[in-house]
Amino acid sequence: MIIKIRGGSQLTNKEIQMQRMWQYFVDATVEIIDQKGIVNVTIREIATKAGYNSATIYNYFQEVSHLIFFAALKYLNKFIEELPERMEQGDNSLDKYLLSWESFCKHSFEEPDIYYAIFLADLGEKPEELLKYYYSVYQSDLFGEVTEDIKTFISEYNFSTRSRNALDKSVQEGILSKEEAAAINERTVLIWQGMLVTVLNNRRHLNAEEATNKTMQHIAEIVNNYRLAK
């Protein structure tokens, strides 16, 4: 038996069963995160929730961080749903870049554990392959009706590249040079990473709104300095 899936590709019975098992474990991980928090996710907890033994999980996943990564991606939906409307408010590509960062900061600082697991945690040698497989299973849940620009922004694993993609139009429109875009990208990513770790480790007592405002002050200052230089 062969069943068609998205994009016209096909799955055999064995592949369908593997995909189904894969989804059981990811969905079980999501439930544990909802109920107990991401720090309390263990292989034993996942196995119990899914109704299988721990050894079975290792037939599908190399380590628990991979399951946490896949489960955490489902929490991106709130950001993804908000992003198109927020970016439409920008007058040009650089404004849209700032608006996308503002939305991203807000959601990431509201759920720092989740965003750390997706963007900063060590996932081994080839995390891009993990992400590619996840999107092949869940892409309709994640993407819905969004533009290709936003889909590229979302689906690029490497965070630095993901951020840079949002600046490419500013280069194409002559607002920034390639060198300026690269400098803005590097500085903004480092600022966000520093604030996320600060929030996550309770180094400063900032709520999500305060962390977003402080981060965006720095990012906007960097971007506007390049605008003023024109």
Side-chain angles (χ1 to χ4, degrees):
M1 178 180 179
I2 296 177
I3 294 179
K4 291 185 177 180
I5 61 171
R6 300 183 192 96
S9 56
Q10 297 177 326
L11 292 178
T12 65
N13 272 345
K14 182 178 180 180
E15 289 169 333
I16 291 168
Q17 177 62 22
M18 288 184 66
Q19 188 180 74
R20 187 177 295 125
M21 292 292 292
W22 195 89
Q23 291 179 356
Y24 286 156
F25 292 130
V26 171
D27 291 342
T29 306
V30 171
E31 287 188 42
I32 295 168
I33 292 173
D34 285 341
Q35 295 166 3
K36 300 183 178 182
I38 200 168
V39 296
N40 294 306
V41 175
T42 66
I43 287 291
R44 181 173 293 182
E45 285 272 359
I46 297 167
T48 300
K49 177 71 69 174
Y52 291 88
N53 61 50
S54 299
T56 303
I57 293 179
Y58 289 108
N59 292 329
Y60 302 90
F61 299 93
Q62 295 177 10
E63 54 187 84
V64 70
S65 66
H66 293 175
L67 266 164
I68 292 172
F69 171 77
F70 289 126
L73 281 169
K74 298 200 80 174
Y75 292 85
L76 282 179
N77 284 339
K78 288 184 287 185
F79 164 63
I80 292 168
E81 289 167 3
E82 178 183 282
L83 187 58
E85 183 178 351
R86 290 291 290 140
M87 291 181 71
E88 284 178 6
Q89 297 171 17
D91 293 328
N92 56 54
S93 56
L94 211 50
D95 289 337
K96 293 177 188 294
Y97 174 77
L98 288 171
L99 288 166
S100 70
W101 262 106
E102 184 179 13
S103 179
F104 185 79
C105 286
K106 182 188 78 170
H107 288 286
S108 64
F109 297 145
E110 285 174 351
E111 298 181 299
D113 289 331
I114 294 292
Y115 280 73
Y116 183 90
I118 296 170
F119 295 106
L120 298 181
D122 182 4
L123 298 172
E125 294 181 0
K126 297 181 179 178
E128 66 280 357
E129 292 184 6
L130 298 177
L131 187 62
K132 186 183 298 183
Y133 184 72
Y134 182 86
Y135 283 132
S136 75
V137 177
Y138 285 111
Q139 61 179 304
S140 61
D141 294 336
L142 283 169
F143 291 147
E145 297 298 325
V146 299
T147 67
E148 285 301 317
D149 288 342
I150 292 173
K151 188 180 292 188
T152 299
F153 176 79
I154 294 165
S155 61
E156 173 62 51
Y157 171 74
N158 181 279
F159 187 67
S160 181
T161 304
R162 181 188 297 245
S163 176
R164 177 58 190 271
N165 285 338
L167 284 172
D168 282 347
K169 278 202 169 180
S170 294
V171 175
Q172 294 167 10
E173 293 169 2
I175 299 174
L176 298 172
S177 68
K178 289 183 179 180
E179 292 75 19
E180 289 169 337
I184 290 173
N185 180 58
E186 181 178 29
R187 294 172 69 183
T188 52
V189 169
L190 288 172
I191 287 168
W192 173 79
Q193 288 177 339
M195 182 60 80
L196 187 76
V197 173
T198 296
V199 170
L200 195 59
N201 294 333
N202 295 313
R203 294 290 183 174
R204 295 179 66 183
H205 298 292
L206 298 172
N207 60 35
E209 183 179 0
E210 291 169 338
T212 297
N213 289 339
K214 285 185 177 294
T215 303
M216 287 310 302
Q217 284 175 7
H218 291 297
I219 293 175
E221 182 179 351
I222 291 167
V223 171
N224 289 330
N225 282 342
Y226 283 97
R227 284 204 241 221
L228 292 172
K230 295 295 181 181

